[in-house]
């Protein structure tokens, strides 16, 4: 059977690049996003009684990996990036059909002005095409005693996170500062660095990610220190600039 999937929705998430996105949903639980339904599926009817559930499954396309094709074997970050497993024994994006599956918390279902699901804990890039939505059914989807192969438990926080004075002050001034601070802390605590870089001493190296329209910069010492934070692209290690504000300089 040849079947073409239609894109029924679009993800709006604070993740604007792949680097830094948690490797599974729920690992950074504070982070919120939306699944916006597209016509002709954007009706109050398609989501009727969905709000009775606490969690939903999102089937989506790893659209930013489609061009790279698929691999027979992959190197899961969980195994340190050295060991190989079969693609079907992994949750790698580099799979035939590039279909992804994430369970997320459903915060609310909105039907006006657009039909959308407000969700949290997502591991999805902004703009991800969604092909299906299903309620999470605890009696069938949660299996006590199931074995998790080479990933038997959540990886958990790996690093302690602290903010430099300047980003702390900027965050304190903002209405969404608490949300940003919590989200960034969760993300950096997971240590987004590739596995092969984790065991090396990289105290001077500055890492960066785009999150919710902001450039987040950090270094890893014995703890993560958010070096600077601004609306526009800061130039490091020199002073950073940001639109409509005095220049920032990282500490
Ligand atoms: N929970 C899903 C995804 C696991 S892989 C599943 O098991 O199928 C998670 C990684 O996919 C993230 O860390 C991010 O780097 C990547 N990712 C998320 N959205 C993507 C997209 N639209 N295209 C390509 N990669 C994406």
């Amino acid at each position: 059977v040849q079947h073409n999937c239609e894109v029924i929705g679009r993800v709006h998430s604070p993740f604007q690049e792949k680097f830094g996105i948690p490797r599974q949903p729920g690992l950074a639980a504070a982070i919120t996003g939306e699944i916006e339904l597209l016509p002709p599926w954007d009706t109050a009817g398609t989501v009727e009684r969905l709000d009775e559930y606490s969690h939903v499954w999102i089937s989506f396309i790893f659209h930013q990996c489609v061009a790279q094709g698929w691999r027979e074997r992959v190197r899961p970050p969980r195994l340190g990036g050295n060991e190989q497993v079969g693609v079907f024994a992994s949750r790698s994006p580099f799979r035939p059909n590039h279909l992804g599956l994430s369970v997320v918390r459903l915060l609310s279902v909105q039907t006006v002005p657009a039909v959308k699901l407000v969700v949290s804990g997502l591991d999805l890039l902004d703009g991800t095409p969604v092909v299906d939505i299903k309620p999470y059914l605890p009696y069938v989807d949660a299996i006590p005693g199931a074995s998790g192969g080479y990933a038997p438990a959540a990886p958990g926080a790996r690093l302690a996170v602290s903010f430099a004075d300047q980003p702390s002050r900027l965050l304190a001034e903002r209405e969404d500062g608490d949300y940003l601070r919590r989200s960034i802390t969760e993300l950096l605590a997971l240590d987004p660095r590739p596995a092969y870089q984790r065991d090396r001493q990289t105290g001077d190296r500055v890492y960066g990610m785009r999150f919710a329209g902001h450039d987040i910069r950090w270094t890893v010492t014995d703890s993560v220190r958010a070096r600077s934070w601004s609306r526009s692209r800061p130039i490091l290690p020199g002073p950073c600039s940001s639109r409509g504000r005095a220049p920032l300089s990282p500490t």
Side-chain angles (χ1 to χ4, degrees):
V1 180
Q2 183 76 29
H3 173 66
N4 292 322
C5 267
E6 305 233 36
V7 174
I8 58 112
R10 194 66 71 178
V11 171
H12 299 286
S13 104
F15 298 117
Q16 296 166 294
E17 59 178 302
K18 279 185 279 174
F19 182 65
I21 304 182
R23 298 208 164 95
Q24 283 301 339
L27 297 176
I31 290 162
T32 59
E34 290 174 358
I35 317 288
E36 185 184 357
L37 296 196
L38 299 173
W41 302 279
D42 62 336
T43 65
T46 61
V47 292
E48 199 173 312
R49 297 193 68 167
L50 183 61
D51 62 354
E52 294 174 23
Y53 296 90
S54 64
H55 292 76
V56 288
W57 289 107
I58 306 296
S59 298
F60 62 95
I61 297 171
F62 288 110
H63 72 307
Q64 280 211 356
C65 293
V66 169
Q68 285 124 285
W70 66 282
R71 314 271 149 76
E72 182 187 19
R73 293 188 183 82
V74 297
R75 300 171 191 274
R78 201 33 114 82
L79 291 173
N82 300 319
E83 276 177 72
Q84 291 194 325
V85 303
V87 63
F88 297 132
S90 85
R91 305 293 287 248
S92 167
F94 301 100
R95 53 202 315 117
N97 295 316
H98 300 278
L99 280 174
L101 185 62
S102 292
V103 64
V104 293
R105 176 177 283 277
L106 181 60
L107 300 176
S108 71
V109 178
Q110 299 181 2
T111 52
V112 237
V115 181
K116 57 191 182 186
L117 317 184
V118 182
V119 301
S120 68
L122 66 182
D123 58 347
L124 309 171
L125 201 57
D126 189 40
T128 295
V130 172
V131 291
D132 203 4
I133 296 164
K134 293 180 190 189
Y136 172 85
L137 276 187
Y139 87 85
V140 54
D141 294 336
I143 304 173
S147 66
Y150 57 81
R158 303 176 62 105
L159 300 166
V161 180
S162 67
F163 288 71
D165 293 343
Q166 190 138 35
S168 278
R169 273 200 304 276
L170 281 171
L171 287 168
E173 286 168 10
R174 295 179 60 98
E175 211 176 302
D176 61 351
D178 274 353
Y179 167 74
L180 286 170
R181 200 184 173 100
R182 255 183 299 128
S183 304
I184 294 165
T185 301
E186 281 187 341
L187 292 175
L188 300 194
L190 291 170
D191 193 358
R193 292 177 297 165
Y196 68 88
Q197 281 178 8
R198 281 183 173 169
D199 303 328
R200 299 188 191 157
Q201 191 55 41
T202 53
D204 290 336
R205 174 136 185 199
V206 179
Y207 295 89
M209 73 179 286
R210 295 277 303 161
F211 179 79
H214 307 289
D215 277 305
I216 316 296
R217 302 281 151 137
W218 72 97
T219 57
V220 183
T221 51
D222 51 328
S223 63
V224 169
R225 188 160 179 77
R227 283 184 63 142
S228 73
W229 177 90
S230 78
R231 270 222 147 258
S232 62
R233 184 155 287 277
I235 301 143
L236 280 169
C240 313
S241 60
S242 90
R243 230 174 299 136
R245 284 185 198 269
L248 306 175
S249 51
T251 49

